[in-house]
Amino acid sequence: MGSRAGLRQRLACRANELVRLGMVHLLSGPLPLYVVNEFPKSGGTWVGQMLGRALGVPFPRNRFPALRPSIMHGHYLRPWGIKNVVVVWRDGRDVMVSWYHQQLIPHGLNELQVERSRRELPLDDYGDVRRNLPAFIEYAFTRPHDPAFSWSEFVRRWRDRKDAVHVRYEDLLRDTPGELRRVFRELTGERLSAERASAIAEEFSFERQARRRPGQEDRGSFLRKGVAGDWRNYFGPEARRVFDRYAGEELILLGYERDRSWV
């Protein structure tokens, strides 16, 4: 029974992905759809929630979308045909820490990912993030899945897209209403009032959604910690070297470091 249920879940997820892929590449302009694109764990869900409320359109997260104006959140490498796109960026080192938890620590929404990643990357103690991080970073860049591309590939493909609106997770943490207003204006050409932006920022704040303060970690939650710079707590010398080998250039291209002296 369990294997059949797992198969049905995989088929349903795959069908959902294919429908979304077709809609994003073919219908994002005509409907329109507002596409929030990110490498996973960069804050895209948060941006999608706030934009959906600001635009007054639904955000069909984790379910089949409808043929109507809405938020489409995903991880798309090829820009062909995608309109109305907001690209969400985050320091790749923080991404790796959050991606480790998404790929290897169960939280109720990631069973299939954890099952595959633990099978492909056997470790003695998955809770020892700092010790395991070098091996995981190597795995994430050489055997990517869900999505099937690496953080550095995503950076190279989307960094210079002038037809996209770009926003950083770190800037959103610093000034959520201000960044939401800027993204809304660049995306629509219209203005979102400061009062409305502040209300939306409060509604979808980490504290309101996770029911704990940013920085208070819950490894069993999709909303694990909600902070920037957490990589410093987990990156030892070897993790720094491995990340730099695969994505040091991209880190500099995005402006998170001036050079490689951080290694």
Side-chain angles (χ1 to χ4, degrees), residues 96-107 110-123 125-129 132-133 135-137 139-140 145 219:
M96 285 299 111
V97 174
S98 291
W99 195 222
Y100 179 100
H101 287 86
Q102 176 68 20
Q103 291 276 308
L104 295 172
I105 307 296
H107 60 57
N110 63 343
E111 291 90 347
L112 296 178
Q113 285 179 304
V114 171
E115 177 188 335
R116 175 173 175 176
S117 296
R118 287 194 174 193
R119 185 174 64 249
E120 296 179 348
L121 185 64
L123 300 167
D125 177 10
Y126 290 102
D128 193 345
V129 182
N132 296 333
L133 203 53
F136 175 76
I137 294 171
Y139 171 72
H145 66 90
R219 291 190 176 186

Side-chain angles (χ1 to χ4, degrees), residues 44-256:
T45 298
W46 181 29
V47 172
Q49 290 171 323
M50 292 192 293
L51 267 183
R53 184 69 82 238
L55 291 163
V57 300
F59 178 17
R61 182 184 173 200
N62 298 325
R63 63 182 188 271
F64 270 83
L67 286 171
R68 56 173 294 189
S70 56
I71 300 292
M72 296 292 279
H73 165 239
H75 319 297
Y76 305 107
L77 185 61
R78 295 173 180 82
W80 178 84
I82 302 181
K83 309 295 183 183
N84 310 308
V85 62
V86 178
V87 182
V88 187
W89 298 107
R90 188 184 185 188
D91 188 320
R93 296 162 295 191
D94 276 336
V95 169
M96 285 299 111
V97 174
S98 291
W99 195 222
Y100 179 100
H101 287 86
Q102 176 68 20
Q103 291 276 308
L104 295 172
I105 307 296
H107 60 57
L109 298 173
N110 63 343
E111 291 90 347
L112 296 178
Q113 285 179 304
V114 171
E115 177 188 335
R116 175 173 175 176
S117 296
R118 287 194 174 193
R119 185 174 64 249
E120 296 179 348
L121 185 64
L123 300 167
D124 292 334
D125 177 10
Y126 290 102
D128 193 345
V129 182
R130 185 178 177 89
R131 179 182 178 184
N132 296 333
L133 203 53
F136 175 76
I137 294 171
E138 181 95 27
Y139 171 72
F141 280 98
T142 59
R143 304 177 69 185
H145 66 90
D146 303 319
F149 52 84
S150 70
W151 182 79
S152 54
E153 289 177 287
F154 184 81
V155 172
R156 290 284 182 179
R157 190 63 66 94
W158 282 97
R159 171 182 165 267
D160 292 325
R161 298 292 303 187
K162 291 182 170 51
D163 54 349
V165 178
H166 300 265
V167 63
R168 290 174 182 255
Y169 178 76
E170 296 82 7
D171 293 337
L172 280 164
L173 289 178
R174 176 183 51 80
D175 180 11
T176 308
E179 284 298 288
L180 178 59
R181 294 182 74 200
R182 179 185 64 80
V183 170
F184 185 90
R185 184 176 65 253
E186 292 185 22
L187 191 62
T188 67
E190 301 175 2
R191 293 189 176 274
L192 182 68
S193 73
E195 295 77 15
R196 182 66 175 144
S198 294
I200 293 170
E202 172 61 24
E203 179 183 358
F204 293 105
S205 67
F206 181 89
E207 193 165 357
R208 177 72 67 86
Q209 295 197 81
R211 298 182 180 178
R212 52 193 155 84
R213 295 181 65 82
Q216 293 180 338
E217 184 177 36
D218 180 358
R219 291 190 176 186
S221 171
F222 177 79
L223 300 172
R224 183 181 61 88
K225 206 168 186 178
V227 297
D230 194 38
W231 67 269
R232 294 180 178 87
N233 296 318
Y234 294 99
F235 269 60
E238 182 61 19
R240 290 171 181 251
R241 286 191 290 269
V242 176
F243 184 89
D244 180 64
R245 183 191 316 147
Y246 288 104
E249 248 182 79
E250 287 73 23
L251 200 65
I252 293 169
L253 282 173
L254 286 180
Y256 285 106

